[in-house]
Amino acid sequence: MNSGESQQPKNLTSVERFLDRTANRWLASRGDRGLRSGLLEFLVFGLKQAWACLFGALMLIAIIAARLWWPDDATLARNDALVIVAVGIQVLMLVTRLETGRELWVIMLFHITGTIMELFKTGVGSWLYDPDGVLRIAGVPLFTGFMYAAVGSYMVRVYRLMDLRFDRYPRLWLTAILALAAYANFFTHHFVWDARWLIVLAVVVTYWPTWMHFRVYRRTFKMPILVAFGLVATFIWFAENIATWAGAWAYPDQVDGWEPVSIMKLVSWFLLMLISVVLVTVVYPPRGIARQN
């Protein structure tokens, strides 16, 4: 059995290499068998997931803080303050080498695709933002693109941190077609038949054989990639509930008072996961599992 340090995932940033070595040494000092070892490894898994979510977590904290403590009569509008904070977080992630320059441009793709969708969706009344602030395009504050970028940041970072590999991954051209169909449907369903359930079915059929393998320490675990889609979509849905409660935006049924986001939004986030995964494969092509000789 190789040591945890020798199994360190590739492509980590300098900060992540230090954190990974520290976690591996901590686990190695406690053995690799028994319930206690399993619980400790699960804890490290949770910490790595939280670390991958850093961008999104900081954005959510900023949104909540703006709701609780930002004065309504402040010279700098709340939405503009969130834009400045979002830019600051992105710069911090790069300066501290928590994200690589190679990843930045794919995160910007998340930003651009998200902002385009925001402009359309607010235009047709799917949701709305407070009208304050000047750092906006039409009715969309510029911080909104960073919320999509936060999803991209998580995706590219978890790929590295968990040393993700895949068994029976679909053809990339097929996943790209599905992602384009899902993205287009976010727009076209306002005018023609809503094909989201057909696309969901196509995604399930396409990804059904695919298993995702991830390493926490010495052991490699696996799960169906569709389960991973569903788990991350659920997590985003919970974060969306917090963000709408904090007034970052509002759906039409929340204008007269906050209420939980419809559970049906999980379908939208599931399809967003498809789009996100396809964008990430531009930077990190899916790797197959290592076969033992």
Side-chain angles (χ1 to χ4, degrees), residues 1-8 20 23-33 37 41 44 48 214-221 292:
M1 178 76 70
N2 294 330
S3 69
E5 189 167 345
S6 66
Q7 296 180 25
Q8 191 176 65
D20 198 65
N24 287 351
R25 290 188 187 119
W26 182 62
L27 285 170
S29 67
R30 287 156 175 78
D32 61 350
R33 295 181 180 180
S37 175
E41 195 160 6
V44 171
K48 283 189 173 184
F214 57 95
R215 187 185 67 81
V216 180
Y217 175 48
R218 286 176 174 162
R219 288 175 290 182
T220 298
F221 302 89
Q292 298 294 330

Side-chain angles (χ1 to χ4, degrees), residues 232-252:
V232 178
T234 301
F235 181 83
I236 295 174
W237 179 79
F238 278 114
E240 181 182 37
N241 274 278
I242 296 172
T244 53
W245 168 83
W249 70 91
Y251 291 104

Side-chain angles (χ1 to χ4, degrees), residues 6 17 28 50 81 87 135 140-141 155 159 166 173 193 205 218 232 236 248 279 287:
S6 66
R17 281 195 297 271
V87 173
L135 300 178
V140 179
M155 295 294 296
Y159 192 101
F166 303 91
W173 63 265
W193 178 64
V205 170
R218 286 176 174 162
V232 178
I236 295 174
L279 287 175
R287 296 177 297 172

Side-chain angles (χ1 to χ4, degrees), residues 7-104:
Q7 296 180 25
Q8 191 176 65
K10 298 179 180 179
N11 301 319
L12 296 183
T13 65
S14 56
V15 175
E16 289 166 349
R17 281 195 297 271
F18 169 77
L19 293 173
D20 198 65
R21 286 195 299 266
T22 301
N24 287 351
R25 290 188 187 119
W26 182 62
L27 285 170
S29 67
R30 287 156 175 78
D32 61 350
R33 295 181 180 180
L35 178 61
R36 184 167 178 254
S37 175
L39 290 174
L40 289 172
E41 195 160 6
F42 180 76
L43 174 61
V44 171
F45 169 78
L47 291 174
K48 283 189 173 184
Q49 287 288 320
W51 186 246
C53 291
L54 183 62
F55 194 142
L58 291 176
M59 279 296 301
L60 196 58
I61 290 170
I63 288 170
I64 295 172
R67 160 70 183 265
L68 295 177
W69 297 300
W70 197 265
D72 291 333
D73 58 352
T75 302
L76 181 65
R78 182 183 289 108
N79 285 345
D80 289 348
L82 288 174
V83 176
I84 295 171
V85 169
V87 173
I89 293 172
Q90 182 65 83
V91 171
L92 181 66
M93 298 284 284
L94 289 170
V95 170
T96 57
R97 299 189 60 79
L98 299 181
E99 288 175 355
T100 66
R102 181 187 178 194
E103 294 164 355
L104 177 61

Side-chain angles (χ1 to χ4, degrees), residues 99 106-107 110 147-157 276 280:
E99 288 175 355
V106 78
I107 291 172
F110 277 83
M147 294 188 292
Y148 293 89
V151 176
S153 176
Y154 166 77
M155 295 294 296
V156 294
R157 297 182 74 219
S276 302
V280 171

